[in-house]
Amino acid sequence: MKLKTGDYLIFLCILFISVYLISKIRIKNGNKFIVNADGNEYEYSLLENRTYEVSGRLGITKIEVNDGRVRIVDSPCKNKTCVHQGWGKHIICLPNDVIITVVSGDDFDAIAQ
């Protein structure tokens, strides 16, 4: 079976629409995250790949941002449950008193909806 020019056009249209929808979903998931650490609040961007360090109750927690995702890569806590959580929207390290929350610019509360 031989593909025709129209078949290639349909394939390209589907490809472009898929890429567009995926990029919209990724942006809607959030473009910043908030870190609450030992009573302090910090706000960082998810748009820049880098590593951050915040001071918690037990010491320094290292946070990695990559491709619009966030995770804890190192923590001074004993069992490292926060490190094993992987990439996520809500990451909690209770022993070190560090909480990470991904937020979107268009979040509304129940009253605004």
Side-chain angles (χ1 to χ4, degrees):
M1 186 168 152
K2 190 174 183 181
L3 294 176
K4 298 179 183 175
T5 305
D7 295 330
Y8 288 112
L9 290 174
I10 291 172
F11 175 75
L12 286 175
C13 286
I14 292 171
L15 180 67
F16 285 126
I17 290 170
S18 299
V19 169
Y20 174 75
L21 291 175
I22 289 171
S23 69
K24 287 300 238 182
I25 289 170
R26 185 171 168 206
I27 290 171
K28 198 165 193 144
N29 279 341
N31 55 9
K32 64 181 176 178
F33 66 99
I34 295 176
V35 178
N36 290 300
D38 200 23
N40 298 308
E41 184 172 292
Y42 308 96
E43 186 176 303
Y44 300 107
S45 173
L46 285 171
L47 303 177
E48 181 182 348
N49 295 341
R50 65 179 287 191
T51 302
Y52 298 95
E53 292 184 354
V54 295
S55 241
R57 184 180 308 147
L58 302 175
I60 301 294
T61 296
K62 292 183 183 178
I63 301 167
E64 178 186 9
V65 176
N66 193 344
D67 292 333
R69 303 174 304 162
V70 64
R71 70 177 176 165
I72 294 177
V73 292
D74 190 35
S75 178
C77 60
K78 204 178 213 182
N79 58 7
K80 308 282 188 206
T81 303
C82 55
V83 175
H84 299 299
Q85 289 180 45
W87 305 100
K89 288 187 172 190
H90 303 285
I91 305 168
I92 300 170
C93 180
L94 286 178
N96 201 27
D97 194 20
V98 175
I99 300 172
I100 299 172
T101 307
V102 174
V103 294
S104 176
D106 59 353
D107 285 344
F108 295 101
D109 61 14
I111 295 171
Q113 294 177 347

